[in-house]
């Protein structure tokens, strides 16, 4: 993409209303624009990152055997009356009336809808187990939307729902998602710590939150120092409940941060190994048995011919929140440092002198060759000072920068910079191409 034809409204000044670094950087880098309280437009650069995060989430869901579908954002109040949650949900639910005076709502989650859809087709134990998911916008009328997309009112969530014939099967499905989550976050360069959690309005008796450590996080957390090393997610036996328990052992979460709870956390995390931090909740999984299936009259025929109410779980990932969490975890005083896996472009190509014929010809040529090699490139071909181009590239955080200037071209070299380390090397065009395409 040529920057001269792109839409990248970057700003130098830090916006006054943004309190945390990810919100500031997303605004400054021209990734999002607030259109109403807690509601954001995704500008081209932000949209590309959102799609890449979404694609990693999708890939790991597919690998875990979940099946993608797409449910609508608007739901009928009657559906929610079947589970009893229409009245229970409270003011966070955005309630809407259509022209026929029918009560509708903008979905904050989809347990009811997926249960109704699957209930109407699943007949026997042979239709189970199934895990279905979608990646869809949600709306929660948060009292205090804040920190940009970290706590928005409209936000993108991956939500999966599992249906099993018995509890052992349901726990297996839960464990499978648990491991898929660790893999998902690891692919984004994040260390997310699973913590036992309260189930809140979703319900059930087993639940884990996945927390990314960040000083600006909304939750105060305690964790075992083992989690300071990256989680190893190979070779995990999903039916080995004890093994999985060992993974999460010693992990607990302090909601109220009272002294009493802190003592409990300390005991659970074995004294010296306890660490305290703040964290961002990037995912939350639930096992709630027959809460929705029973309330909504879902039954299938079991292997022995009797009717069975399926066991369910639900599994959420905050896709749009993840973008803020990644920035919280990966930035410096110049701007964002994207992990390669979610970067909006792999390479930022800077032409230092568009008025220099040789320099521009070399830059145009390299741009064409990068495209031919399938390397996503943002090409700064604007008539701007070099300093401004460097600042923009550092701000938007593409993993590689290639700088082409008249002096280098005379000597047959370009400069390659790795954004994360700041390391710069002079290379021939061929070698630079090989490095970024490799
Ligand atoms: C699980 C999937 C659920 O809603 N039902 C379907 C269950 N869980 S949850 O914990 O309430 O939400 C899942 C994840 O969504 C993100 N999230 C948000 N992101 C941005 N802004 C918000 N206001 C917001 N609320 C929830 C979180 O990452 C959460 O873990």
């Amino acid at each position: 993409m040529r920057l001269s034809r792109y839409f990248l409204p970057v700003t130098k000044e830090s916006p006054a209303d943004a309190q945390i670094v990810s919100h500031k950087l997303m605004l400054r880098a021209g990734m999002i624009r607030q259109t109403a309280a807690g509601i954001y437009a995704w500008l081209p650069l932000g949209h590309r990152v959102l799609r890449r995060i979404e694609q990693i989430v999708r890939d790991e869901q597919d690998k875990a055997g979940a099946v993608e579908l797409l449910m609508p954002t608007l739901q009928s109040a009657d559906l929610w009356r079947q589970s009893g949650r229409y009245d229970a949900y409270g003011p966070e639910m955005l309630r809407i009336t259509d022209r026929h005076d029918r009560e509708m709502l903008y979905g904050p989650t989809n347990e009811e809808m997926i249960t109704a859809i699957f209930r109407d087709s699943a007949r026997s134990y042979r239709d189970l187990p199934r895990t279905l998911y979608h990646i869809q916008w949600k709306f929660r009328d948060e009292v205090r939307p804040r920190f940009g997309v970290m706590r928005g009112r409209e936000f993108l969530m991956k939500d999966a729902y599992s249906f099993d014939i018995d509890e052992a099967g349901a726990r297996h499905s839960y464990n499978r998602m648990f491991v898929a989550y660790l893999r998902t976050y690891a692919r984004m360069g994040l260390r997310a710590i699973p913590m036992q959690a309260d189930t809140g309005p979703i319900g059930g008796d087993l639940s884990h939150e996945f927390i990314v450590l960040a000083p600006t996080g909304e939750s105060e957390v305690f964790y075992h120092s083992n989690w300071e090393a990256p989680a190893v997610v190979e070779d995990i036996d999903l039916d080995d409940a004890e093994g999985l328990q060992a993974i999460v052992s010693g992990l607990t979460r302090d909601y109220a941060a009272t002294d009493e709870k802190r003592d409990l956390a300390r005991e659970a995390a074995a004294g010296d190994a306890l660490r305290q931090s703040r964290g961002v909740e990037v995912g939350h999984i639930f096992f709630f048995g027959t809460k929705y299936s029973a309330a909504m009259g879902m039954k299938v025929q079991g292997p022995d011919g009797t009717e069975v109410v399926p066991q369910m779980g639900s599994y959420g990932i905050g896709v749009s929140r993840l973008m803020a969490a990644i920035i919280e975890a990966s930035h410096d005083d110049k701007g964002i440092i994207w992990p390669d896996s979610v970067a909006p472009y792999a390479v930022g190509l800077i032409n230092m002198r568009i008025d220099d014929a040789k320099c521009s010809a070399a830059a145009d040529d390299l741009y064409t060759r990068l495209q031919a090699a399938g390397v996503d490139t943002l090409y700064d071909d604007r008539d701007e000072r070099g300093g401004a181009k460097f600042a923009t590239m550092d701000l938007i955080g593409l993993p590689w920068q290639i700088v082409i200037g008249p002096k280098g071209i005379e000597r047959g070299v370009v400069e390659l910079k790795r954004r994360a380390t700041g390391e710069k090397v002079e290379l021939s065009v061929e070698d630079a191409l090989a490095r970024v395409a490799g």
Side-chain angles (χ1 to χ4, degrees):
M1 173 57 66
R2 284 176 180 269
L3 204 39
S4 61
R5 293 178 201 159
Y6 202 44
F7 179 54
L8 184 71
V10 299
T11 56
K12 241 203 203 123
E13 281 2 291
S14 225
D17 53 336
Q19 293 158 36
I20 63 171
V21 67
S22 57
H23 188 196
K24 285 183 189 152
L25 288 174
M26 287 179 79
L27 291 169
R28 285 191 52 213
M31 299 177 67
I32 53 169
R33 182 75 54 83
Q34 182 174 317
T35 60
I39 302 180
Y40 291 85
W42 295 84
L43 305 186
L45 197 74
H47 186 236
R48 280 183 78 94
V49 179
L50 192 65
R51 289 287 164 257
R52 293 207 72 188
I53 293 174
E54 187 183 317
Q55 195 47 42
I56 292 175
V57 171
R58 173 177 290 117
D59 189 51
E60 291 298 330
Q61 290 294 296
D62 293 347
K63 283 184 181 150
V67 183
E68 187 171 12
L69 46 61
L70 183 58
M71 293 177 272
T73 53
L74 293 187
Q75 308 188 23
S76 82
D78 284 343
L79 184 63
W80 282 64
R81 290 200 173 96
Q82 293 180 35
S83 71
R85 272 209 296 183
Y86 187 65
D87 295 323
Y89 212 91
E92 270 195 15
M93 178 183 278
L94 181 65
R95 297 158 207 257
I96 304 162
T97 310
D98 74 8
R99 66 197 295 166
H100 302 294
D101 268 343
R102 279 188 291 248
E103 291 170 283
M104 312 281 292
L105 57 104
Y106 192 134
T109 178
N110 286 64
E111 278 82 5
E112 284 78 359
M113 189 178 280
I114 196 75
T115 305
I117 290 171
F118 198 54
R119 172 196 65 197
D120 293 348
S121 312
R123 293 280 160 265
S124 92
Y125 68 95
R126 281 184 297 267
D127 297 321
L128 305 180
R130 283 294 181 281
T131 296
L132 303 171
Y133 77 97
H134 72 163
I135 300 174
Q136 177 62 292
W137 296 93
K138 304 287 185 286
F139 197 94
R140 293 182 185 173
D141 204 352
E142 307 270 353
V143 208
R144 230 173 290 111
R146 54 181 186 158
F147 304 153
V149 300
M150 188 74 96
R151 178 168 295 281
R153 291 199 297 165
E154 189 185 49
F155 60 96
L156 190 59
M157 191 200 288
K158 182 287 298 178
D159 38 325
Y161 303 87
S162 64
F163 297 86
D164 278 271
I165 199 74
D166 55 24
E167 189 174 327
R171 287 184 186 273
H172 179 89
S173 298
Y174 184 94
N175 293 347
R176 204 165 175 187
M177 274 292 151
F178 187 109
V179 172
Y181 274 38
L182 293 178
R183 294 199 170 112
T184 302
Y185 301 124
R187 279 180 65 178
M188 296 172 194
L190 290 176
R191 199 163 55 237
I193 305 179
M195 304 209 178
Q196 284 168 22
D198 281 349
T199 54
I202 306 292
D205 60 8
L206 171 64
S207 173
H208 286 92
E209 287 177 2
F210 291 78
I211 305 281
V212 170
L213 300 181
T216 47
E218 290 190 285
S219 331
E220 182 169 28
V221 295
F222 293 90
Y223 62 97
H224 195 284
S225 59
N226 288 349
W227 284 98
E228 280 168 359
V232 179
V233 287
E234 309 300 325
D235 306 326
I236 292 175
D237 179 355
L238 299 177
D239 287 318
D240 173 11
E242 272 178 27
L244 263 171
Q245 211 44 55
I247 294 180
V248 300
S249 72
L251 305 175
T252 185
R253 169 173 172 168
D254 179 21
Y255 278 94
T258 60
D259 290 343
E260 188 193 346
K261 280 199 174 173
R262 191 168 297 152
D263 288 346
L264 286 174
R266 189 164 287 132
E267 256 170 51
D272 295 347
L274 184 74
R275 298 282 183 275
Q276 179 177 2
S277 175
R278 301 196 70 80
V280 176
E281 181 200 312
V282 291
H284 200 159
I285 62 178
F286 304 82
F287 167 65
F288 42 70
T290 60
K291 176 176 169 176
Y292 298 92
S293 43
M296 300 184 66
M298 177 175 190
K299 291 187 197 96
V300 297
Q301 199 178 50
D304 60 0
T306 58
E307 282 189 331
V308 181
V309 180
Q311 300 272 333
M312 291 178 61
S314 76
Y315 314 89
I317 288 184
V319 175
S320 46
R321 174 179 288 185
L322 266 171
M323 195 180 314
I326 292 168
I327 296 172
E328 291 292 330
S330 185
H331 67 271
D332 62 15
D333 55 355
K334 297 194 181 72
I336 302 166
I337 303 172
W338 290 117
D340 297 87
S341 59
V342 299
Y345 293 91
V347 174
L349 174 63
I350 296 178
N351 177 358
M352 291 295 285
R353 288 280 300 276
I354 63 153
D355 56 348
D356 181 298
K358 269 195 198 160
C359 183
S360 284
D364 283 358
D365 181 56
L366 180 51
Y367 177 54
T368 308
R369 292 171 68 183
L370 283 163
Q371 283 180 299
V375 180
D376 283 335
T377 303
L378 189 62
Y379 175 22
D380 194 344
D381 60 341
R382 296 169 307 159
D383 185 9
E384 282 277 354
R385 287 181 308 108
K389 293 189 176 189
F390 292 143
T392 297
M393 280 303 175
D394 281 347
L395 173 63
I396 68 172
L398 309 182
W400 296 104
Q401 296 172 14
I402 301 178
V403 182
I404 299 194
K407 286 189 198 132
I409 287 305
E410 287 300 326
R411 293 186 290 123
V413 295
V414 299
E415 186 184 86
L416 178 69
K417 175 174 144 181
R418 183 76 179 157
R419 174 66 179 91
T421 60
E423 190 193 334
K424 293 175 187 169
V425 281
E426 282 194 337
L427 298 167
S428 68
V429 167
E430 269 65 33
D431 288 348
L433 246 176
R435 282 285 289 278
V436 300

